[in-house]
Amino acid sequence: MVNNIKNFISKPVIKKITPVVLVAIVFIIALCVRALPLIKKGYVVINDFNQMTIARNLALDLGYKTETKDGVVLASSLVKESAMNAPEAYAGISYIYATFFKIFGFRSDNYILPMAVTVICHALVTVLLFIIVKRFFNTKVALIFALFDVLLPIFIQSSLMVGLYEFGSLFFTLGLLFYFLNKTRPGWIRILLAGIFFTLAVISRNAFLFSYGAFAIYDLYINRSVKKLLLFISP
């Protein structure tokens, strides 16, 4: 199978496709493959209803709240007065979805919007990783990587988990893109932009803090500059 993929990618027609068109094709394929289970089944694998509830309450200007001190989830009419502030480990997810809900509206019986956002985010992650791999290797390697990323069941499943890793993965991959924008060592601006997106990833999902820390050590090793390291972690 791998040899067939290599032979297909090596064909002249593939080599003549412009980078922009190639990126668009990768995005469309990634989007279609990830959306297919959603379209057929009509629901996601995992949905963090707590984050969606908080996002709804934020969109309704009820605060970052959802339940009482005893863990009882309250109706929207009682949240503002009786609920306590929720833990902010994944605050970024709630605030982003709250923005979407304010713009596009929210229905308690319709989760099409967050499901669509999740699938699109993961398709964009595939595109960004394709661009990064292409810059380090070549188009053939990048396409093979993208195909495996799109077709592996574990990645298809993760792209159907609403309210978990969609924004964290997108922001972290954007950080990688700016950090590895080309093969030279990152300068001040690239380090700052990478640090901003890594920070947004941590705010969206605190598990990315470990990856951020590993990259901070890597940056210190590569640049041998405490000033650049401080800029990298300053956001």
Side-chain angles (χ1 to χ4, degrees), residues 106-170:
F106 176 85
R107 283 171 46 194
S108 59
D109 62 338
N110 189 352
Y111 279 91
I112 291 179
L113 176 60
M115 288 189 292
V117 169
T118 299
V119 172
I120 291 172
C121 282
H122 284 283
L124 287 173
V125 168
T126 299
V127 169
L128 294 173
L129 289 174
F130 167 79
I131 294 172
I132 294 170
V133 174
K134 183 177 181 296
R135 286 180 179 172
F136 273 94
F137 299 96
N138 53 53
T139 302
K140 182 189 294 186
V141 174
L143 282 172
I144 293 173
F145 170 84
L147 284 172
F148 276 102
D149 182 71
V150 168
L151 297 176
L152 281 178
I154 188 171
F155 293 137
I156 296 175
Q157 182 186 38
S158 65
S159 64
L160 298 174
M161 297 179 178
V162 173
L164 294 178
Y165 290 96
E166 58 267 41
F167 297 118
S169 298
L170 180 60

Side-chain angles (χ1 to χ4, degrees), residues 18-37:
T18 61
V20 175
V21 174
L22 200 56
V23 165
I25 291 173
V26 170
F27 174 74
I28 292 171
I29 293 174
L31 186 64
C32 292
V33 172
R34 284 172 163 78
L36 184 60

